[in-house]
Amino acid sequence: MADAEAKSRACDECRRLHRKCDLVKPQCSPCKRSGRKCHHTQLKFHFKQPFPLGNDFPRPKAWTSSPVSIRFLDETAETIRDYHIETGQQLTAETEPDSGSASPSSPALLFPSVALRGPATWGRHNQARPIDYWPLKNSTESLLFKHFAHNISPCFFDFCDRERHFALDVPERARTCSPLLHAIFALSARHLSHTREDFDPQIADEYYQRCLETLIPELNRTGADLNDNLLAATVILRLLEELNVPLAGIDLCQHSVGTRAFLRSQTAQPPCTGLRRAASWAGVRQEIYVSLSLYRPPAIKASSDMLDSLDPSDDSTWASLAVSHCSDVLEYCFTESPPKVEVYDSLLADNQRWNTERPPSYDPLYVYKSKDPNHNSFWEFTLQADWHVMGWQYMALAQLLLTIHNPHIVKMPQGQHVTWKRMNEQARNAVRLLCSIAQSNPSTPPGILVACMGAKVCGKLFEDTGEQRALLEILLRAEEIHGWPTKDVRVNLCKVWAENTQDKVIGPEL
């Protein structure tokens, strides 16, 4: 009876237009907005006949006879036409939305030419109705979502991708993929907790748990789009795992194993989508960091399909080739079998060939090295686009590794100080180039992350106090501005430098 009484209090206009009436008197809000007269008719319910006291129906009773055959009408098409508002259709009084969406600032009223889409047009990658927690619940989730697209994706994922799949495609897919959405929230929260003192680190842990709870059931489902979504989520979780190293104390590489499993399972799923290629290359780059950290060959490498899909006329292709070359060099450096001289010579030739065959657009815009010893330890080396910066960075990192793993020099006795001294200077020059490119191109944040890898490998070779300070500043900036953990590297370098000079190096605060 409560529902019946509520309906009886709704105004006549709202009942006629089948709108939700807020029951405000003397004039309800929908009528007030539309300028209609609001009238409430008092409804009275009564029985036409008194209800019988017994269990039998009153007699005589006229019973309705049923037809011999019944024909059912399919009104699906009419229902769909009524549900959708096609482009250019004006909203009239009969099609006016209810009070929940008919505010003066509603997009349907301000821009009537914009189509209001129904479930059949929701989502380019998933035709199902969006998940029930969209739109986002609060301002924190909105902050995390935008932080991923605007700050994390350019810094960690999209710097070699013209189409910016992680900044544009991944957020769209996250609208209908719960594990992907919560992976975005967890990574953004962890990154903000590293770069902002006022952000609660517990938020990242909460979203990470939600991501795992929804990720495991999704693994039992199938579908190309779903696999691409889960691959992207796993790559995002791998970056989260890297950022968690200072908290966990060790890099377990659990999500690196997950990425490897996804890439192996998707090799038999042509054609390769743009997001799958972008996530695969992100996995290869992440494995380079793992290889340098654990001193082992990379477990994830660029497949032949990934390399065959590259277009040599595209500038960004040459950055991807540099990534693949760096991965090959790491495999040579950390393989358990004795290094083969012919493999080294082939890799060295590939490194030099990239520098001679690369497009002219990879030429630096400006190069300047100061002769003043009191000037900055690094030089100016500005480049144009993100992929130009990263192509140079990965080739410089590969050159550094080839220098310190040169089998021709390793076989020479330690007594030949001139040769070893020349090798150490070549390694220092490679690190100087990495740091110079990173410092000269601040609009490409991932450049400083690769420079940190070079500093970790050969930073101990620097003896000049000014250069040591400059290296520490690069490492400190990577952590304070970009959230990349470098404290352990800074502490270890300071210990090595102090032991070499028998004096503590005075540098930035650790």
Side-chain angles (χ1 to χ4, degrees):
M1 289 301 295
D3 292 341
E5 292 177 0
K7 291 181 179 180
S8 67
R9 291 196 298 268
C11 73
D12 297 347
E13 285 296 312
C14 289
R15 289 170 59 84
R16 183 177 66 85
L17 297 175
H18 301 284
R19 298 180 308 184
K20 183 179 179 181
C21 183
D22 58 8
L23 311 180
V24 176
K25 295 182 180 180
Q27 189 176 24
C28 67
S29 299
C31 290
K32 187 176 182 179
R33 281 195 298 270
S34 58
R36 294 185 178 88
K37 183 178 179 181
C38 187
H39 182 264
H40 294 260
T41 299
Q42 185 66 30
L43 299 180
K44 296 182 179 181
F45 298 94
H46 60 87
F47 294 103
K48 293 183 178 180
Q49 299 180 9
F51 197 80
L53 296 178
N55 295 329
D56 297 331
F57 288 99
R59 294 181 175 83
K61 181 70 177 179
W63 295 95
T64 304
S65 59
S66 60
V68 177
S69 61
I70 301 176
R71 184 169 60 92
F72 295 92
L73 298 179
D74 185 2
E75 299 180 349
T76 304
E78 289 78 6
T79 303
I80 293 177
R81 282 198 299 269
D82 292 339
Y83 187 75
H84 290 274
I85 300 179
E86 301 295 337
T87 302
Q89 179 180 348
Q90 300 291 334
L91 291 177
T92 62
E94 299 301 326
T95 60
E96 182 180 348
D98 60 21
S99 60
S101 60
S103 61
S105 59
S106 173
L109 297 180
L110 296 178
F111 306 99
S113 62
V114 178
L116 301 181
R117 299 177 298 169
T121 60
W122 266 322
R124 181 161 55 92
H125 305 286
N126 190 339
Q127 297 299 326
R129 185 181 179 89
I131 44 186
D132 57 1
Y133 46 79
W134 193 270
L136 303 177
K137 296 180 180 179
N138 50 56
S139 59
T140 300
E141 292 188 349
S142 176
L143 169 66
L144 298 176
F145 197 78
K146 294 181 67 176
H147 184 72
F148 175 84
H150 297 166
N151 301 99
I152 293 180
S153 295
C155 185
F156 296 100
F157 296 114
D158 286 340
F159 46 82
C160 293
D161 183 8
R162 283 183 179 272
E163 299 179 7
R164 301 175 60 200
H165 284 93
F166 276 83
L168 303 177
D169 196 10
V170 167
E172 181 180 350
R173 289 170 176 262
R175 293 171 176 257
T176 54
C177 182
S178 176
L180 186 57
L181 182 63
H182 288 100
I184 288 174
F185 289 159
L187 176 59
S188 295
R190 178 63 68 220
H191 188 261
L192 286 173
S193 69
H194 284 349
T195 57
R196 283 175 41 175
E197 296 181 355
D198 60 340
F199 199 88
D200 184 5
Q202 286 292 114
I203 297 178
D205 298 333
E206 295 174 1
Y207 281 117
Y208 179 64
Q209 292 301 322
R210 295 183 192 177
C211 177
L212 295 183
E213 292 172 359
T214 55
L215 177 63
I216 295 175
E218 293 290 329
L219 296 176
N220 296 324
R221 298 174 56 192
T222 58
D225 282 348
L226 178 63
N227 289 338
D228 290 352
N229 294 345
L230 298 185
L231 172 60
T234 306
V235 170
I236 292 172
L237 292 178
R238 170 56 199 159
L239 177 57
L240 173 64
E241 197 172 38
E242 293 173 350
L243 297 182
N244 281 341
V245 169
L247 302 176
I250 187 174
D251 189 354
L252 299 177
C253 301
Q254 293 177 341
H255 294 293
S256 179
V257 175
T259 302
R260 186 160 66 249
F262 267 110
L263 293 180
R264 288 175 178 174
S265 66
Q266 294 193 4
T267 54
Q269 295 184 14
C272 184
T273 62
L275 176 59
R276 193 183 310 168
R277 283 194 298 269
S280 300
W281 280 109
V284 174
R285 295 191 298 266
Q286 290 175 344
E287 191 64 19
I288 289 177
Y289 170 74
V290 175
S291 179
L292 286 171
S293 300
L294 303 181
Y295 302 100
R296 64 163 174 80
I300 300 176
K301 297 188 62 180
S303 65
S304 58
D305 293 337
M306 294 168 59
L307 295 174
D308 293 342
S309 64
L310 297 176
D311 181 7
S313 63
D314 186 352
D315 266 10
S316 61
T317 287
W318 291 84
S320 299
L321 291 175
V323 172
S324 178
H325 171 68
C326 189
S327 179
D328 292 338
V329 171
L330 284 168
E331 185 176 30
Y332 162 79
C333 294
F334 297 135
T335 186
E336 294 182 359
S337 59
K340 297 181 179 180
V341 176
E342 57 271 19
V343 176
Y344 172 85
D345 293 338
S346 176
L347 291 172
L348 186 61
D350 291 341
N351 192 281
Q352 297 170 350
R353 188 181 304 111
W354 184 93
N355 195 42
T356 56
E357 296 181 359
R358 58 177 170 78
S361 57
Y362 275 78
D363 293 341
L365 301 177
Y366 177 68
V367 179
Y368 174 74
K369 185 176 182 180
S370 176
K371 298 180 180 180
D372 184 2
N374 297 323
H375 193 262
N376 194 325
S377 300
F378 307 126
W379 57 86
E380 290 288 332
F381 199 100
T382 57
L383 295 155
Q384 180 180 352
D386 291 342
W387 40 85
H388 298 152
V389 174
M390 300 314 298
W392 273 92
Q393 289 294 76
Y394 280 106
M395 293 306 293
L397 181 60
Q399 183 182 6
L400 170 63
L401 295 169
L402 289 173
T403 299
I404 62 178
H405 289 86
N406 187 345
H408 301 287
I409 296 180
V410 172
K411 292 181 179 180
M412 295 180 181
Q414 289 282 356
Q416 298 187 8
H417 297 291
V418 176
T419 303
W420 283 94
K421 191 174 182 179
R422 183 169 61 250
M423 183 194 73
N424 290 342
E425 184 60 24
Q426 291 175 352
R428 282 191 290 266
N429 283 334
V431 177
R432 292 185 185 112
L433 178 59
L434 286 167
C435 294
S436 297
I437 294 175
Q439 185 173 270
S440 303
N441 300 273
S443 60
T444 306
I448 198 172
L449 307 185
V450 181
C452 292
M453 298 180 194
K456 179 180 180 179
V457 173
C458 285
K460 61 184 179 181
L461 298 179
F462 285 84
E463 300 173 352
D464 181 75
T465 305
E467 290 186 318
Q468 291 174 355
R469 288 178 179 272
L471 276 178
L472 290 177
E473 290 175 0
I474 290 284
L475 294 167
L476 186 63
R477 193 183 316 147
E479 181 159 352
E480 290 184 341
I481 299 178
H482 305 296
W484 189 253
T486 61
K487 184 175 181 178
D488 290 344
V489 179
R490 301 197 309 270
V491 171
N492 292 334
L493 285 178
C494 286
K495 289 181 179 179
V496 172
W497 292 334
E499 292 173 357
N500 292 340
T501 60
Q502 299 299 320
D503 190 13
K504 185 178 180 180
V505 178
I506 302 176
E509 181 183 357
L510 298 178

PDB file of all heavy atoms in Angstrom, residues 325 329 343-353 399 402-403 406 408:
ATOM      1  N   HIS A 325      68.009  -4.645 -29.376  1.00  0.00           N
ATOM      2  CA  HIS A 325      69.467  -4.811 -29.382  1.00  0.00           C
ATOM      3  C   HIS A 325      70.024  -4.849 -27.956  1.00  0.00           C
ATOM      4  O   HIS A 325      70.885  -5.692 -27.641  1.00  0.00           O
ATOM      5  CB  HIS A 325      70.104  -3.662 -30.159  1.00  0.00           C
ATOM      6  CG  HIS A 325      71.603  -3.608 -30.056  1.00  0.00           C
ATOM      7  ND1 HIS A 325      72.431  -4.555 -30.620  1.00  0.00           N
ATOM      8  CD2 HIS A 325      72.414  -2.720 -29.421  1.00  0.00           C
ATOM      9  CE1 HIS A 325      73.689  -4.255 -30.360  1.00  0.00           C
ATOM     10  NE2 HIS A 325      73.710  -3.149 -29.624  1.00  0.00           N
ATOM     11  N   VAL A 329      72.167  -7.853 -26.128  1.00  0.00           N
ATOM     12  CA  VAL A 329      73.451  -7.648 -25.462  1.00  0.00           C
ATOM     13  C   VAL A 329      73.417  -8.209 -24.044  1.00  0.00           C
ATOM     14  O   VAL A 329      74.377  -8.845 -23.583  1.00  0.00           O
ATOM     15  CB  VAL A 329      73.810  -6.145 -25.454  1.00  0.00           C
ATOM     16  CG1 VAL A 329      75.030  -5.888 -24.575  1.00  0.00           C
ATOM     17  CG2 VAL A 329      74.074  -5.660 -26.874  1.00  0.00           C
ATOM     18  N   VAL A 343      80.078 -13.761 -31.326  1.00  0.00           N
ATOM     19  CA  VAL A 343      78.799 -13.164 -30.938  1.00  0.00           C
ATOM     20  C   VAL A 343      79.004 -11.721 -30.497  1.00  0.00           C
ATOM     21  O   VAL A 343      78.228 -10.824 -30.854  1.00  0.00           O
ATOM     22  CB  VAL A 343      78.139 -13.986 -29.813  1.00  0.00           C
ATOM     23  CG1 VAL A 343      76.857 -13.309 -29.342  1.00  0.00           C
ATOM     24  CG2 VAL A 343      77.853 -15.403 -30.289  1.00  0.00           C
ATOM     25  N   TYR A 344      80.050 -11.496 -29.728  1.00  0.00           N
ATOM     26  CA  TYR A 344      80.349 -10.124 -29.297  1.00  0.00           C
ATOM     27  C   TYR A 344      80.613  -9.223 -30.495  1.00  0.00           C
ATOM     28  O   TYR A 344      80.094  -8.106 -30.571  1.00  0.00           O
ATOM     29  CB  TYR A 344      81.566 -10.135 -28.370  1.00  0.00           C
ATOM     30  CG  TYR A 344      82.065  -8.748 -28.021  1.00  0.00           C
ATOM     31  CD1 TYR A 344      81.511  -8.034 -26.964  1.00  0.00           C
ATOM     32  CD2 TYR A 344      83.084  -8.151 -28.767  1.00  0.00           C
ATOM     33  CE1 TYR A 344      81.952  -6.755 -26.655  1.00  0.00           C
ATOM     34  CE2 TYR A 344      83.535  -6.879 -28.471  1.00  0.00           C
ATOM     35  CZ  TYR A 344      82.967  -6.186 -27.406  1.00  0.00           C
ATOM     36  OH  TYR A 344      83.418  -4.927 -27.112  1.00  0.00           O
ATOM     37  N   ASP A 345      81.426  -9.684 -31.437  1.00  0.00           N
ATOM     38  CA  ASP A 345      81.750  -8.871 -32.613  1.00  0.00           C
ATOM     39  C   ASP A 345      80.499  -8.555 -33.421  1.00  0.00           C
ATOM     40  O   ASP A 345      80.350  -7.450 -33.956  1.00  0.00           O
ATOM     41  CB  ASP A 345      82.772  -9.597 -33.487  1.00  0.00           C
ATOM     42  CG  ASP A 345      84.137  -9.733 -32.807  1.00  0.00           C
ATOM     43  OD1 ASP A 345      84.409  -8.932 -31.882  1.00  0.00           O
ATOM     44  OD2 ASP A 345      84.907 -10.638 -33.191  1.00  0.00           O
ATOM     45  N   SER A 346      79.578  -9.524 -33.505  1.00  0.00           N
ATOM     46  CA  SER A 346      78.332  -9.293 -34.237  1.00  0.00           C
ATOM     47  C   SER A 346      77.475  -8.233 -33.533  1.00  0.00           C
ATOM     48  O   SER A 346      76.903  -7.352 -34.187  1.00  0.00           O
ATOM     49  CB  SER A 346      77.555 -10.604 -34.379  1.00  0.00           C
ATOM     50  OG  SER A 346      76.321 -10.397 -34.997  1.00  0.00           O
ATOM     51  N   LEU A 347      77.389  -8.315 -32.205  1.00  0.00           N
ATOM     52  CA  LEU A 347      76.614  -7.319 -31.454  1.00  0.00           C
ATOM     53  C   LEU A 347      77.249  -5.939 -31.554  1.00  0.00           C
ATOM     54  O   LEU A 347      76.549  -4.925 -31.667  1.00  0.00           O
ATOM     55  CB  LEU A 347      76.510  -7.748 -29.995  1.00  0.00           C
ATOM     56  CG  LEU A 347      75.648  -8.983 -29.718  1.00  0.00           C
ATOM     57  CD1 LEU A 347      75.793  -9.421 -28.263  1.00  0.00           C
ATOM     58  CD2 LEU A 347      74.182  -8.698 -30.028  1.00  0.00           C
ATOM     59  N   LEU A 348      78.571  -5.878 -31.510  1.00  0.00           N
ATOM     60  CA  LEU A 348      79.245  -4.589 -31.641  1.00  0.00           C
ATOM     61  C   LEU A 348      78.995  -3.983 -33.017  1.00  0.00           C
ATOM     62  O   LEU A 348      78.782  -2.771 -33.153  1.00  0.00           O
ATOM     63  CB  LEU A 348      80.747  -4.771 -31.401  1.00  0.00           C
ATOM     64  CG  LEU A 348      81.592  -3.495 -31.366  1.00  0.00           C
ATOM     65  CD1 LEU A 348      81.141  -2.578 -30.239  1.00  0.00           C
ATOM     66  CD2 LEU A 348      83.075  -3.835 -31.226  1.00  0.00           C
ATOM     67  N   ALA A 349      78.971  -4.837 -34.035  1.00  0.00           N
ATOM     68  CA  ALA A 349      78.679  -4.355 -35.387  1.00  0.00           C
ATOM     69  C   ALA A 349      77.237  -3.858 -35.486  1.00  0.00           C
ATOM     70  O   ALA A 349      76.959  -2.844 -36.151  1.00  0.00           O
ATOM     71  CB  ALA A 349      78.934  -5.471 -36.406  1.00  0.00           C
ATOM     72  N   ASP A 350      76.295  -4.546 -34.828  1.00  0.00           N
ATOM     73  CA  ASP A 350      74.900  -4.091 -34.816  1.00  0.00           C
ATOM     74  C   ASP A 350      74.783  -2.728 -34.138  1.00  0.00           C
ATOM     75  O   ASP A 350      74.002  -1.868 -34.586  1.00  0.00           O
ATOM     76  CB  ASP A 350      74.028  -5.106 -34.087  1.00  0.00           C
ATOM     77  CG  ASP A 350      73.884  -6.410 -34.851  1.00  0.00           C
ATOM     78  OD1 ASP A 350      74.141  -6.400 -36.078  1.00  0.00           O
ATOM     79  OD2 ASP A 350      73.538  -7.430 -34.226  1.00  0.00           O
ATOM     80  N   ASN A 351      75.538  -2.530 -33.058  1.00  0.00           N
ATOM     81  CA  ASN A 351      75.494  -1.250 -32.357  1.00  0.00           C
ATOM     82  C   ASN A 351      75.990  -0.121 -33.253  1.00  0.00           C
ATOM     83  O   ASN A 351      75.381   0.963 -33.308  1.00  0.00           O
ATOM     84  CB  ASN A 351      76.346  -1.347 -31.086  1.00  0.00           C
ATOM     85  CG  ASN A 351      76.137  -0.171 -30.159  1.00  0.00           C
ATOM     86  OD1 ASN A 351      76.679   0.907 -30.375  1.00  0.00           O
ATOM     87  ND2 ASN A 351      75.342  -0.384 -29.112  1.00  0.00           N
ATOM     88  N   GLN A 352      77.051  -0.373 -33.966  1.00  0.00           N
ATOM     89  CA  GLN A 352      77.592   0.645 -34.855  1.00  0.00           C
ATOM     90  C   GLN A 352      76.696   0.856 -36.074  1.00  0.00           C
ATOM     91  O   GLN A 352      76.554   1.982 -36.567  1.00  0.00           O
ATOM     92  CB  GLN A 352      79.006   0.247 -35.285  1.00  0.00           C
ATOM     93  CG  GLN A 352      79.996   0.177 -34.126  1.00  0.00           C
ATOM     94  CD  GLN A 352      81.326  -0.438 -34.518  1.00  0.00           C
ATOM     95  OE1 GLN A 352      81.466  -0.990 -35.622  1.00  0.00           O
ATOM     96  NE2 GLN A 352      82.319  -0.358 -33.635  1.00  0.00           N
ATOM     97  N   ARG A 353      76.064  -0.234 -36.555  1.00  0.00           N
ATOM     98  CA  ARG A 353      75.191  -0.122 -37.722  1.00  0.00           C
ATOM     99  C   ARG A 353      73.968   0.734 -37.406  1.00  0.00           C
ATOM    100  O   ARG A 353      73.505   1.501 -38.254  1.00  0.00           O
ATOM    101  CB  ARG A 353      74.777  -1.520 -38.191  1.00  0.00           C
ATOM    102  CG  ARG A 353      74.033  -1.519 -39.520  1.00  0.00           C
ATOM    103  CD  ARG A 353      73.626  -2.916 -39.939  1.00  0.00           C
ATOM    104  NE  ARG A 353      74.762  -3.815 -40.004  1.00  0.00           N
ATOM    105  CZ  ARG A 353      74.974  -4.807 -39.177  1.00  0.00           C
ATOM    106  NH1 ARG A 353      74.100  -5.062 -38.197  1.00  0.00           N
ATOM    107  NH2 ARG A 353      76.041  -5.582 -39.296  1.00  0.00           N
ATOM    108  N   GLN A 399      75.983  -0.082 -25.462  1.00  0.00           N
ATOM    109  CA  GLN A 399      77.406   0.190 -25.674  1.00  0.00           C
ATOM    110  C   GLN A 399      78.181   0.081 -24.369  1.00  0.00           C
ATOM    111  O   GLN A 399      79.307  -0.444 -24.334  1.00  0.00           O
ATOM    112  CB  GLN A 399      77.575   1.579 -26.278  1.00  0.00           C
ATOM    113  CG  GLN A 399      79.011   1.932 -26.606  1.00  0.00           C
ATOM    114  CD  GLN A 399      79.137   3.330 -27.164  1.00  0.00           C
ATOM    115  OE1 GLN A 399      78.175   4.090 -27.214  1.00  0.00           O
ATOM    116  NE2 GLN A 399      80.344   3.686 -27.593  1.00  0.00           N
ATOM    117  N   LEU A 402      78.601  -3.627 -23.618  1.00  0.00           N
ATOM    118  CA  LEU A 402      79.593  -4.242 -24.513  1.00  0.00           C
ATOM    119  C   LEU A 402      81.013  -3.837 -24.120  1.00  0.00           C
ATOM    120  O   LEU A 402      81.964  -4.624 -24.271  1.00  0.00           O
ATOM    121  CB  LEU A 402      79.313  -3.845 -25.961  1.00  0.00           C
ATOM    122  CG  LEU A 402      78.064  -4.457 -26.608  1.00  0.00           C
ATOM    123  CD1 LEU A 402      77.805  -3.840 -27.977  1.00  0.00           C
ATOM    124  CD2 LEU A 402      78.208  -5.976 -26.730  1.00  0.00           C
ATOM    125  N   THR A 403      81.152  -2.626 -23.596  1.00  0.00           N
ATOM    126  CA  THR A 403      82.479  -2.158 -23.194  1.00  0.00           C
ATOM    127  C   THR A 403      83.030  -2.951 -22.018  1.00  0.00           C
ATOM    128  O   THR A 403      84.182  -3.399 -22.016  1.00  0.00           O
ATOM    129  CB  THR A 403      82.433  -0.667 -22.848  1.00  0.00           C
ATOM    130  OG1 THR A 403      82.013   0.075 -24.008  1.00  0.00           O
ATOM    131  CG2 THR A 403      83.795  -0.165 -22.393  1.00  0.00           C
ATOM    132  N   ASN A 406      83.791  -6.841 -22.806  1.00  0.00           N
ATOM    133  CA  ASN A 406      84.588  -7.060 -24.013  1.00  0.00           C
ATOM    134  C   ASN A 406      85.494  -8.271 -23.802  1.00  0.00           C
ATOM    135  O   ASN A 406      86.410  -8.247 -22.971  1.00  0.00           O
ATOM    136  CB  ASN A 406      85.421  -5.811 -24.306  1.00  0.00           C
ATOM    137  CG  ASN A 406      86.149  -5.901 -25.630  1.00  0.00           C
ATOM    138  OD1 ASN A 406      86.269  -6.980 -26.227  1.00  0.00           O
ATOM    139  ND2 ASN A 406      86.638  -4.771 -26.102  1.00  0.00           N
ATOM    140  N   HIS A 408      87.825  -9.416 -25.623  1.00  0.00           N
ATOM    141  CA  HIS A 408      89.191  -9.163 -26.047  1.00  0.00           C
ATOM    142  C   HIS A 408      90.008  -8.553 -24.914  1.00  0.00           C
ATOM    143  O   HIS A 408      91.200  -8.843 -24.772  1.00  0.00           O
ATOM    144  CB  HIS A 408      89.209  -8.232 -27.254  1.00  0.00           C
ATOM    145  CG  HIS A 408      88.454  -8.762 -28.436  1.00  0.00           C
ATOM    146  ND1 HIS A 408      88.908  -9.792 -29.225  1.00  0.00           N
ATOM    147  CD2 HIS A 408      87.235  -8.403 -28.961  1.00  0.00           C
ATOM    148  CE1 HIS A 408      88.035 -10.052 -30.193  1.00  0.00           C
ATOM    149  NE2 HIS A 408      87.007  -9.213 -30.052  1.00  0.00           N
TER     150      HIS A 408
END
